[in-house]
Amino acid sequence: MPDYLVRLVQVHESFRKTELQSLADLNRVEIEFVKYAEDSPFCIVRLSDDAAARSVITRNILSYGIYELWGQGVDYDSLHASVKQMSPQIWAQYHKSPFRFTMDSYRGSRSMLEQFPIIESFAYLDFKGPVRVRDAEASFTIFEDYEHNGPSPKYLYLGRFVAASGRQAKTTYDLKKRHYISTTSMDAELALLTANIALAAPGKFFYDPFMGTGGFPLACAHYGAVVCGSDIDGRSIRGTGGSARRGQTGKKDVAMNFVQYGLQSRYLGGFVSDLTNTPLRIPTVESGAGYLDGIVCDPPYGIREGLKVLGHREKLEDFERQTHQDRFKEAGYIPPKRPYSFTAIQDDILAFASDTLVEGGRLSMWMPTANDEDVELVIPMHPCLELLSTCVQPFNKWSRRLLTYRRLPESEVSKDAMEYAKKEYEQGVKASELNDFRRKYFEGFREFEKSRQEGATSENFSEAKGLRGINKGNCSCN
Amino acid sequence: MKLLTLNFLTCAIKTCKSSPLSFPLHPREVELEILETDYNAVFLRNILPRLEWEALRVLAGELGLPSLPESSPDVSSLSTSSEEDDSETPTQVAQDLHRLLLETCIKEGKLVCGCCGHEYAVKEGVANFLLPGHLV
Ligand SMILES: C[S@@+](CC[C@H](N)C(=O)[O-])C[C@H]1O[C@@H](n2cnc3c(N)ncnc32)[C@H](O)[C@@H]1O
Ligand SMILES: [Zn+2]
């Protein structure tokens, strides 16, 4: 199998391999990572052919493109030697093709004047076709990898261009140009990435139980899935809660976001509901298997994002119950809500996913964590779900993780694990053990909350702002 | 909300969920709307085996829409392929299903649970499943 060079972007590093692997899984192609490092934008993978390479990259968000690797080395001498050793059997294929050469210097730069002799030094490839800046049949790039401020490149590659990535979608879906957003709208790049990792694709059915302004369902619909979503806050779906964008007035809602991108035919609709009292049908052994191909979500964090579920803080007196019963049909009636535990909602999401996903379906869920060494990181688990990947987006004192699980086929679910999980709940071990974790956990967020309130002065705030499109002011989904 | 959604929705009250009466929810006083959409062959093929067919028949009946065959059509009956150019043409069954599931939308109205009688309102196409205080 030939080697290919993936020219990655140097952001969201820990998501890059997972995204490539997911897109390989989606297209059912084998991918082998030959060379990969978190601190490098050059990754070498082994794939069966150009078609496989194309299928893995055309939707990819965290790369620019993929190239057939023709050679590599620590300097130009060793690069040329490598090219002469690795690829001479394929040179002839491009003997008469219109072609072009470009250079891509990572953390370095080359003037036109410098580039010319470098490109000339590959004359032994003996290409006789015309040079074309546009529509070249064969396009070659010389990649240079520099140390930070390094005088000369530390490593070089020569690649033949195979396919460009799908990174331009990040611009298309940019929150700055989105019709309707809120303070917790997921950044477009991360939403698209999540949809890729969850394997959203034509023919599939995806759901977001915490849809807010619909960032994830939009991203999934972009990749061809039919989607729906829900949120406990009806104003976020109907758009009557006010917009996060200054000066934004007039009717704005999630449905219009779908119209903006021409995706309304894939939007089943949004409904108002609490995940812990979901109206979605829960298949039982008799009623058959799950029906969702994927669930993608960013659950509320529990402080200002208003993690609430339906219910009462204290047990209702009879007369209070009666008041609800008498009043609930009145306009403006607000169903009572109570605060809820962050870890409990995660367990609820996993249980829901296990019930409703088709076998092999994926759950991709964001989870914030405090970067505190004393806090043991608890990754929620479920016997029917296999944890596939954990990607981390670090901030100062906290980080966000994207956890991705696969619904195991019934035949692979361990019966012992099922029994064990049941017991754990019955004995209440889980909740009490996690108390300390929870406390520390939320302490870690104060910084984030504070920076949000204070405005754009702190460095951490601008970081958060860049990533989530946060504006000053109150969260609209409380 | 597109009608397909109703094939996955039941009563939000936990004790109703186990009763067969809670599914499907019954539309009342609804205003329907047709939003034309691109025919989605691959989705229809995948979703058909996951549908609760009987519930769909009940729904079509209650909405006064053309009635559906007694049992779910086979996935293979959704298209006919032409010998010449490999192209696939949706059959009438497939077109009808597409219209019902993906083009017919509930704009306003109520969805009623057949078990407890609770009514869920649909406004501007958005159904509200939040339970009032005495039901949680
Ligand atoms: C972090 S935001 C998600 C934002 C969304 N990803 C977007 O791009 O707009 C979390 C959402 O969960 C909702 N939420 C809070 N508690 C909920 C519950 N119990 N059930 C369903 N949604 C809930 C909030 O109203 C909020 O819109
Ligand atoms: Zn009911």
Side-chain angles (χ1 to χ4, degrees):
Chain A
M1 292 213 295
D3 282 355
Y4 290 87
L5 177 82
V6 181
R7 172 58 164 100
L8 298 166
V9 297
Q10 201 55 35
V11 289
H12 304 311
E13 291 86 348
S14 86
F15 293 71
R16 300 181 304 180
K17 234 174 141 175
T18 300
E19 191 193 21
L20 287 167
Q21 182 66 57
S22 299
L23 293 174
D25 294 347
L26 177 67
N27 292 288
R28 297 198 175 82
V29 303
E30 286 286 331
I31 187 167
E32 187 188 326
F33 289 86
V34 178
K35 181 176 172 184
Y36 176 87
E38 286 298 77
D39 60 358
S40 168
F42 302 106
C43 163
I44 298 175
V45 295
R46 202 156 284 164
L47 289 158
S48 58
D49 51 24
D50 280 10
R54 211 169 281 123
S55 75
V56 168
I57 236 63
T58 43
R59 278 176 53 161
N60 190 281
I61 294 294
L62 296 180
S63 75
Y64 294 116
I66 194 162
Y67 299 78
E68 183 182 40
L69 186 64
W70 279 37
Q72 56 182 312
V74 291
D75 53 28
Y76 275 98
D77 285 345
S78 52
L79 173 63
H80 288 307
S82 164
V83 171
K84 286 171 190 166
Q85 190 247 321
M86 261 183 94
S87 56
Q89 68 286 359
I90 45 178
W91 297 354
Q93 284 177 41
Y94 305 96
H95 187 61
K96 290 196 177 131
S97 311
F99 74 102
R100 70 181 289 211
F101 266 76
T102 52
M103 289 194 68
D104 176 352
S105 302
Y106 175 65
R107 289 195 299 204
S109 68
R110 292 282 194 183
S111 67
M112 276 313 205
L113 233 68
E114 285 173 297
Q115 287 187 23
F116 190 68
I118 295 175
I119 292 169
E120 277 298 294
S121 71
F122 288 89
Y124 57 86
L125 293 171
D126 200 25
F127 293 156
K128 295 281 186 252
V131 174
R132 289 260 174 82
V133 176
R134 227 168 281 166
D135 300 327
E137 254 168 50
S139 196
F140 298 85
T141 301
I142 303 152
F143 296 94
E144 295 190 320
D145 190 3
Y146 290 74
E147 289 293 0
H148 185 58
N149 287 330
S152 58
K154 59 172 177 176
Y155 209 83
L156 304 155
Y157 306 88
L158 175 68
R160 180 184 60 84
F161 177 75
V162 176
S165 77
R167 191 167 170 76
Q168 81 289 342
K170 169 182 182 293
T171 314
T172 314
Y173 288 88
D174 191 344
L175 290 184
K176 288 198 215 75
K177 291 174 280 178
R178 177 134 350 137
H179 169 77
Y180 165 58
I181 56 168
S182 83
T183 51
T184 60
S185 292
M186 180 58 80
D187 161 68
E189 180 175 20
L190 293 174
L192 291 158
L193 193 52
T194 309
N196 270 340
I197 292 173
L199 313 187
K204 295 194 184 183
F205 183 21
F206 270 63
Y207 171 61
D208 178 354
F210 305 95
M211 80 186 302
T213 55
F216 289 122
L218 270 178
C220 295
H222 168 69
Y223 293 120
V226 168
V227 299
C228 73
S230 61
D231 199 286
I232 198 168
D233 184 355
R235 295 169 305 173
S236 79
I237 303 173
R238 294 204 190 86
T240 45
S243 165
R245 189 173 290 130
R246 219 183 300 257
Q248 197 176 55
T249 50
K251 173 78 180 160
K252 306 271 171 189
D253 67 7
V254 174
M256 285 160 87
N257 278 345
F258 280 86
V259 173
Q260 175 183 1
Y261 301 108
L263 297 173
Q264 63 273 33
S265 62
R266 301 193 193 131
Y267 180 49
L268 289 188
F271 52 90
V272 189
S273 81
D274 164 18
L275 178 81
T276 69
N277 289 279
T278 180
L280 283 170
R281 71 174 151 86
I282 301 299
T284 57
V285 184
E286 304 88 66
S287 72
Y291 47 86
L292 294 170
D293 293 285
I295 299 171
V296 280
C297 61
D298 182 21
Y301 300 170
I303 306 177
R304 291 182 65 237
E305 260 125 31
L307 171 44
K308 297 222 176 82
V309 296
L310 294 176
H312 315 274
R313 279 168 201 267
E314 276 148 51
K315 205 173 171 305
L316 280 197
E317 301 286 342
D318 285 346
F319 78 90
E320 292 172 310
R321 184 169 298 274
Q322 192 57 50
T323 317
H324 282 292
Q325 193 156 2
D326 296 341
R327 292 253 168 110
F328 80 94
K329 286 191 177 161
E330 291 173 11
Y333 172 84
I334 296 171
K337 300 188 187 75
R338 65 181 169 100
Y340 195 60
S341 136
F342 179 68
T343 46
I345 198 110
Q346 289 177 335
D347 289 338
D348 294 340
I349 297 168
L350 264 59
F352 173 81
S354 156
D355 286 335
T356 54
L357 284 176
V358 299
E359 294 188 348
R362 287 193 179 187
L363 163 67
S364 283
M365 168 173 88
W366 285 84
M367 182 181 107
T369 42
N371 293 348
D372 181 338
E373 277 149 35
D374 300 341
V375 184
E376 190 199 344
L377 176 69
V378 178
I379 305 250
M381 289 300 227
H382 189 286
C384 298
L385 299 171
E386 174 196 10
L387 182 69
L388 292 178
S389 61
T390 305
C391 305
V392 186
Q393 181 191 15
F395 295 89
N396 253 345
K397 292 204 177 138
W398 71 292
S399 53
R400 279 203 293 193
R401 260 152 240 267
L402 177 64
L403 305 177
T404 300
Y405 305 81
R406 176 178 77 106
R407 174 62 164 95
L408 291 170
E410 226 41 73
S411 59
E412 287 177 33
V413 176
S414 145
K415 295 289 167 292
D416 292 351
M418 269 315 244
E419 282 304 309
Y420 181 72
K422 243 194 249 155
K423 265 203 217 103
E424 234 187 339
Y425 274 107
E426 279 160 14
Q427 293 167 354
V429 187
K430 259 197 127 159
S432 59
E433 270 180 3
L434 287 173
N435 276 342
D436 188 50
F437 164 76
R438 265 183 216 144
R439 187 177 54 76
K440 291 233 165 97
Y441 186 96
F442 288 123
E443 275 168 13
F445 283 116
R446 286 214 191 110
E447 175 204 29
F448 173 62
E449 292 298 331
K450 219 170 83 209
S451 52
R452 262 196 184 184
Q453 277 155 20
E454 279 166 3
T457 44
S458 95
E459 174 203 333
N460 194 44
F461 177 81
S462 46
E463 204 179 358
K465 186 177 167 187
L467 287 157
R468 307 198 75 201
I470 289 159
N471 286 325
K472 231 158 81 169
N474 280 324
C475 168
S476 71
C477 57
N478 261 322
Chain B
M1 69 195 300
K2 301 198 197 303
L3 283 191
L4 172 59
T5 329
L6 283 187
N7 209 257
F8 304 107
L9 289 169
T10 169
C11 186
I13 298 172
K14 290 196 175 93
T15 48
C16 277
K17 276 211 157 69
S18 55
S19 160
L21 293 173
S22 66
F23 180 78
L25 297 172
H26 305 285
R28 292 279 151 77
E29 299 156 38
V30 297
E31 185 184 327
L32 293 181
E33 170 182 45
I34 300 284
L35 292 177
E36 302 217 333
T37 65
D38 310 330
Y39 179 70
N40 194 337
V42 50
F43 180 71
L44 216 51
R45 224 170 23 236
N46 287 344
I47 209 73
L48 185 59
R50 303 182 198 171
L51 294 179
E52 293 286 339
W53 189 256
E54 194 43 40
L56 196 61
R57 270 172 54 87
V58 171
L59 180 71
E62 290 180 6
L63 290 173
L65 299 170
S67 64
L68 293 169
E70 238 158 74
S71 58
S72 170
D74 199 67
V75 169
S76 62
S77 68
L78 292 180
S79 60
T80 50
S81 45
S82 107
E83 310 271 291
E84 293 142 40
D85 58 352
D86 232 34
S87 72
E88 300 217 329
T89 323
T91 57
Q92 191 59 47
V93 179
Q95 289 178 31
D96 291 349
L97 270 178
H98 172 75
R99 162 112 329 188
L100 178 71
L101 299 172
L102 296 168
E103 294 191 320
T104 315
C105 309
I106 298 193
K107 214 175 149 198
E108 300 286 333
K110 289 173 195 154
L111 299 169
V112 185
C113 172
C115 178
C116 69
H118 189 67
E119 296 176 347
Y120 298 97
V122 184
K123 283 184 197 138
E124 296 177 49
V126 179
N128 185 345
F129 289 96
L130 297 186
L131 299 170
H134 60 291
L135 295 176
V136 277

